[in-house]
Short mmCIF file of all heavy atoms in Angstrom, two decimals:
data_model
loop_
_atom_site.label_atom_id
_atom_site.label_comp_id
_atom_site.label_asym_id
_atom_site.label_seq_id
_atom_site.Cartn_x
_atom_site.Cartn_y
_atom_site.Cartn_z
N GLU A 159 -2.09 -6.00 -6.84
CA GLU A 159 -2.55 -5.40 -5.63
C GLU A 159 -3.31 -6.50 -4.87
O GLU A 159 -4.18 -7.10 -5.43
CB GLU A 159 -3.54 -4.25 -5.96
CG GLU A 159 -3.10 -2.91 -5.49
CD GLU A 159 -4.13 -1.85 -5.67
OE1 GLU A 159 -5.28 -1.98 -5.18
OE2 GLU A 159 -3.84 -0.89 -6.37
N THR A 160 -2.92 -6.76 -3.61
CA THR A 160 -3.63 -7.75 -2.83
C THR A 160 -3.57 -7.39 -1.34
O THR A 160 -2.46 -7.23 -0.84
CB THR A 160 -3.15 -9.16 -3.08
OG1 THR A 160 -3.91 -10.11 -2.31
CG2 THR A 160 -1.66 -9.41 -2.81
N PRO A 161 -4.67 -7.23 -0.63
CA PRO A 161 -6.02 -7.18 -1.18
C PRO A 161 -6.18 -6.00 -2.12
O PRO A 161 -5.52 -4.98 -1.98
CB PRO A 161 -6.94 -7.01 0.01
CG PRO A 161 -6.09 -7.44 1.22
CD PRO A 161 -4.67 -7.15 0.85
N THR A 162 -7.12 -6.09 -3.05
CA THR A 162 -7.32 -5.07 -4.05
C THR A 162 -8.15 -3.93 -3.55
O THR A 162 -9.02 -4.07 -2.67
CB THR A 162 -8.05 -5.64 -5.30
OG1 THR A 162 -9.20 -6.32 -4.85
CG2 THR A 162 -7.18 -6.58 -6.10
N ASN A 163 -7.85 -2.77 -4.11
CA ASN A 163 -8.62 -1.55 -3.81
C ASN A 163 -9.62 -1.38 -4.94
O ASN A 163 -9.23 -1.16 -6.06
CB ASN A 163 -7.59 -0.38 -3.77
CG ASN A 163 -8.25 0.94 -3.42
OD1 ASN A 163 -9.43 1.03 -3.28
ND2 ASN A 163 -7.43 1.98 -3.31
N PRO A 164 -10.87 -1.40 -4.72
CA PRO A 164 -11.58 -1.53 -3.43
C PRO A 164 -12.24 -2.88 -3.21
O PRO A 164 -12.98 -3.04 -2.25
CB PRO A 164 -12.66 -0.47 -3.56
CG PRO A 164 -13.06 -0.56 -5.04
CD PRO A 164 -11.83 -0.99 -5.77
N THR A 165 -12.03 -3.86 -4.10
CA THR A 165 -12.90 -5.06 -4.09
C THR A 165 -12.48 -6.12 -3.13
O THR A 165 -13.12 -7.15 -2.96
CB THR A 165 -12.98 -5.68 -5.55
OG1 THR A 165 -11.64 -5.85 -6.00
CG2 THR A 165 -13.74 -4.78 -6.46
N MET A 166 -11.28 -5.97 -2.50
CA MET A 166 -10.79 -6.88 -1.50
C MET A 166 -10.50 -8.30 -1.99
O MET A 166 -10.60 -9.28 -1.24
CB MET A 166 -11.72 -6.91 -0.26
CG MET A 166 -11.91 -5.61 0.45
SD MET A 166 -10.37 -4.88 1.03
CE MET A 166 -9.78 -6.03 2.19
N LYS A 167 -10.22 -8.40 -3.30
CA LYS A 167 -9.87 -9.71 -3.84
C LYS A 167 -8.39 -10.03 -3.40
O LYS A 167 -7.58 -9.08 -3.26
CB LYS A 167 -9.90 -9.71 -5.35
CG LYS A 167 -11.32 -9.83 -5.88
CD LYS A 167 -11.26 -9.97 -7.34
CE LYS A 167 -12.59 -9.78 -8.01
NZ LYS A 167 -12.50 -9.75 -9.48
N ILE A 168 -8.09 -11.31 -3.29
CA ILE A 168 -6.73 -11.73 -2.86
C ILE A 168 -6.08 -12.51 -3.95
O ILE A 168 -6.70 -13.43 -4.51
CB ILE A 168 -6.85 -12.61 -1.61
CG1 ILE A 168 -7.74 -12.02 -0.51
CG2 ILE A 168 -5.48 -13.00 -1.10
CD1 ILE A 168 -7.09 -11.07 0.44
N THR A 169 -4.85 -12.18 -4.28
CA THR A 169 -4.08 -12.97 -5.24
C THR A 169 -3.03 -13.78 -4.53
O THR A 169 -2.38 -13.29 -3.57
CB THR A 169 -3.37 -12.02 -6.24
OG1 THR A 169 -4.36 -11.35 -7.00
CG2 THR A 169 -2.46 -12.80 -7.20
N ASP A 170 -2.89 -15.08 -4.92
CA ASP A 170 -1.87 -15.94 -4.31
C ASP A 170 -0.52 -15.45 -4.78
O ASP A 170 -0.12 -15.59 -5.95
CB ASP A 170 -2.16 -17.38 -4.80
CG ASP A 170 -1.23 -18.41 -4.13
OD1 ASP A 170 -0.08 -18.00 -3.82
OD2 ASP A 170 -1.66 -19.54 -3.96
N LEU A 171 0.27 -14.88 -3.83
CA LEU A 171 1.52 -14.29 -4.19
C LEU A 171 2.56 -15.32 -4.60
O LEU A 171 3.35 -15.07 -5.49
CB LEU A 171 2.07 -13.49 -3.00
CG LEU A 171 1.31 -12.25 -2.66
CD1 LEU A 171 1.74 -11.65 -1.31
CD2 LEU A 171 1.48 -11.19 -3.73
N GLU A 172 2.55 -16.48 -3.98
CA GLU A 172 3.56 -17.50 -4.30
C GLU A 172 3.34 -17.98 -5.70
O GLU A 172 4.26 -18.09 -6.51
CB GLU A 172 3.36 -18.64 -3.29
CG GLU A 172 4.50 -19.63 -3.27
CD GLU A 172 4.31 -20.75 -2.23
OE1 GLU A 172 3.13 -20.95 -1.81
OE2 GLU A 172 5.29 -21.35 -1.84
N ALA A 173 2.06 -18.22 -6.08
CA ALA A 173 1.78 -18.71 -7.44
C ALA A 173 2.06 -17.61 -8.47
O ALA A 173 2.62 -17.90 -9.56
CB ALA A 173 0.31 -19.10 -7.53
N ALA A 174 1.77 -16.33 -8.11
CA ALA A 174 2.05 -15.22 -9.07
C ALA A 174 3.50 -15.10 -9.29
O ALA A 174 3.95 -14.84 -10.42
CB ALA A 174 1.45 -13.99 -8.50
N ALA A 175 4.31 -15.20 -8.23
CA ALA A 175 5.79 -15.09 -8.39
C ALA A 175 6.34 -16.17 -9.25
O ALA A 175 7.13 -15.93 -10.15
CB ALA A 175 6.43 -15.12 -7.03
N ARG A 176 5.82 -17.41 -9.05
CA ARG A 176 6.31 -18.52 -9.83
C ARG A 176 6.01 -18.33 -11.32
O ARG A 176 6.87 -18.46 -12.15
CB ARG A 176 5.66 -19.82 -9.33
CG ARG A 176 6.37 -21.08 -9.81
CD ARG A 176 5.84 -22.31 -9.20
NE ARG A 176 4.37 -22.34 -9.22
CZ ARG A 176 3.54 -22.40 -8.14
NH1 ARG A 176 4.07 -22.42 -7.01
NH2 ARG A 176 2.26 -22.41 -8.24
N MET A 177 4.77 -17.92 -11.63
CA MET A 177 4.38 -17.71 -13.02
C MET A 177 5.11 -16.59 -13.64
O MET A 177 5.56 -16.69 -14.77
CB MET A 177 2.84 -17.43 -13.09
CG MET A 177 2.05 -18.71 -12.89
SD MET A 177 0.32 -18.35 -13.20
CE MET A 177 -0.33 -18.42 -11.62
N ALA A 178 5.28 -15.47 -12.93
CA ALA A 178 6.00 -14.30 -13.46
C ALA A 178 7.44 -14.73 -13.78
O ALA A 178 7.92 -14.45 -14.90
CB ALA A 178 5.97 -13.14 -12.46
N HIS A 179 8.10 -15.42 -12.87
CA HIS A 179 9.47 -15.80 -13.08
C HIS A 179 9.67 -16.81 -14.22
O HIS A 179 10.65 -16.76 -14.92
CB HIS A 179 10.06 -16.32 -11.74
CG HIS A 179 10.14 -15.23 -10.74
ND1 HIS A 179 10.22 -15.50 -9.39
CD2 HIS A 179 10.12 -13.89 -10.83
CE1 HIS A 179 10.25 -14.33 -8.69
NE2 HIS A 179 10.16 -13.35 -9.58
N GLU A 180 8.66 -17.69 -14.39
CA GLU A 180 8.75 -18.63 -15.49
C GLU A 180 8.76 -17.93 -16.84
O GLU A 180 9.32 -18.42 -17.82
CB GLU A 180 7.54 -19.60 -15.50
CG GLU A 180 7.72 -20.76 -14.56
CD GLU A 180 6.40 -21.50 -14.29
OE1 GLU A 180 5.41 -21.27 -14.97
OE2 GLU A 180 6.41 -22.35 -13.36
N HIS A 181 8.18 -16.70 -16.88
CA HIS A 181 8.16 -15.89 -18.08
C HIS A 181 9.24 -14.84 -18.10
O HIS A 181 9.23 -13.98 -18.93
CB HIS A 181 6.77 -15.21 -18.26
CG HIS A 181 5.74 -16.15 -18.81
ND1 HIS A 181 5.14 -17.14 -18.10
CD2 HIS A 181 5.28 -16.26 -20.08
CE1 HIS A 181 4.29 -17.81 -18.84
NE2 HIS A 181 4.36 -17.29 -20.09
N GLY A 182 10.15 -14.91 -17.14
CA GLY A 182 11.24 -13.91 -17.11
C GLY A 182 10.75 -12.56 -16.68
O GLY A 182 11.42 -11.54 -16.99
N ALA A 183 9.61 -12.48 -16.07
CA ALA A 183 9.07 -11.13 -15.66
C ALA A 183 9.30 -10.94 -14.16
O ALA A 183 9.46 -11.92 -13.39
CB ALA A 183 7.60 -11.10 -15.96
N LEU A 184 9.26 -9.69 -13.72
CA LEU A 184 9.41 -9.37 -12.30
C LEU A 184 7.98 -9.27 -11.71
O LEU A 184 7.02 -8.83 -12.40
CB LEU A 184 10.09 -8.01 -12.14
CG LEU A 184 11.58 -7.94 -12.55
CD1 LEU A 184 12.01 -6.47 -12.51
CD2 LEU A 184 12.42 -8.82 -11.64
N LEU A 185 7.90 -9.66 -10.41
CA LEU A 185 6.60 -9.44 -9.69
C LEU A 185 6.76 -8.25 -8.79
O LEU A 185 7.58 -8.18 -7.92
CB LEU A 185 6.27 -10.69 -8.89
CG LEU A 185 4.99 -10.53 -8.02
CD1 LEU A 185 3.78 -10.41 -8.95
CD2 LEU A 185 4.81 -11.73 -7.10
#
Side-chain angles (χ1 to χ4, degrees):
E159 240 185 58
T160 181
T162 51
N163 183 356
T165 52
M166 298 305 294
K167 283 188 194 170
I168 310 273
T169 295
D170 185 329
L171 291 170
E172 195 178 20
R176 196 173 48 241
M177 285 188 252
H179 295 158
E180 276 166 13
H181 279 76
L184 294 172
L185 177 65

